[in-house]
């Protein structure tokens, strides 16, 4: 296996002088304790490039990949990566539920100019920080995080004590 850095964020992999494709690196402001990898391989290598990439990047490696990329997932698992979290997407509506929703929670819209907006941002920041702690700890400050919130509107609900208990940015 030969590895050649073709630009600051891309490694090209070779076996028997034949290109197998590339592995690109990128950073995530929210999780800057590691380097993320993105695969663009024509063929799966027979040996691992990960130790060399980690050595050059001087940070642990992490990958976010769809489970449908089974050959790459298998290659990573065989070469020391561990699956720390599965993510799923689903589109559902109230009609898809087995049992009807039973809630008295009022869902209220908000926009960035509403007094509740900063509390919604704080709620999201705390939730994100807590849920990512074991997989990839949050490294962004609260201000950096809130600056990156993708929208300035959404919905919230309060519990019986008047505290935020659900927030959705839309």
């Amino acid at each position: 296996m030969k590895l050649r850095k073709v630009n600051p964020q891309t490694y090209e992999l070779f076996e028997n002088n034949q290109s197998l494709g590339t592995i690109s690196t990128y950073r995530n402001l929210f999780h800057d304790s590691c380097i993320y990898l993105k695969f663009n391989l024509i063929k799966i290598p027979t040996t691992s490039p990960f130790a060399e990439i980690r050595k050059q990047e001087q940070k642990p490696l992490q990958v976010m990949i769809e489970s449908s990329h089974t050959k790459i997932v298998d290659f990573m698992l065989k070469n020391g990566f561990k699956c720390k979290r599965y993510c799923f997407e689903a589109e559902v509506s109230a009609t898809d539920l087995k049992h009807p929703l039973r809630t008295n929670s009022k869902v209220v819209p908000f926009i960035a100019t509403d007094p509740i907006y900063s509390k919604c941002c704080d709620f999201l920041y705390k939730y994100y920080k807590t849920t990512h702690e074991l997989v990839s700890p949050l490294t962004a400050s609260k201000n950096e995080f809130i600056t990156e919130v993708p929208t300035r509107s959404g919905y919230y609900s309060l519990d019986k004590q008047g505290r935020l208990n659900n927030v959705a940015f839309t």
Side-chain angles (χ1 to χ4, degrees), residues 79-120:
N79 286 284
F81 279 81
K82 294 179 180 136
C83 182
K84 292 204 172 182
R85 182 174 65 183
Y86 291 94
C87 299
F88 302 94
E89 286 185 26
E91 260 187 58
V92 295
S93 70
T95 59
D96 297 315
L97 299 174
K98 185 175 181 179
H99 303 286
L101 291 174
R102 292 186 189 106
T103 180
N104 295 329
S105 294
K106 183 178 173 187
V107 177
V108 183
F110 68 85
I111 58 173
T113 56
D114 291 338
I116 193 86
Y117 179 76
S118 65
K119 289 181 181 177
C120 291

Side-chain angles (χ1 to χ4, degrees), residues 8-99:
Q9 290 86 31
T10 308
Y11 295 88
E12 187 170 12
L13 285 67
F14 293 88
E15 279 184 352
N16 300 321
N17 294 322
Q18 194 168 41
S19 177
L20 303 179
T22 61
I23 297 176
S24 300
T25 62
Y26 65 97
R27 286 176 161 58
N28 180 332
L29 169 69
F30 287 3
H31 308 283
D32 199 31
S33 60
C34 60
I35 296 293
Y36 287 82
L37 302 179
K38 185 175 181 182
F39 296 86
N40 187 19
L41 298 173
I42 301 163
K43 183 180 175 190
I44 302 298
T46 57
T47 58
S48 173
F50 302 124
E52 181 60 29
I53 293 172
R54 181 178 175 154
K55 180 180 170 188
Q56 288 193 35
E57 298 296 330
Q58 298 179 354
K59 283 189 175 185
L61 306 177
Q62 187 163 330
V63 177
M64 294 189 328
I65 191 167
E66 292 185 27
S67 59
S68 61
H69 297 126
T70 55
K71 290 181 182 178
I72 294 174
V73 171
D74 290 344
F75 176 66
M76 292 181 335
L77 292 172
K78 287 177 188 170
N79 286 284
F81 279 81
K82 294 179 180 136
C83 182
K84 292 204 172 182
R85 182 174 65 183
Y86 291 94
C87 299
F88 302 94
E89 286 185 26
E91 260 187 58
V92 295
S93 70
T95 59
D96 297 315
L97 299 174
K98 185 175 181 179
H99 303 286

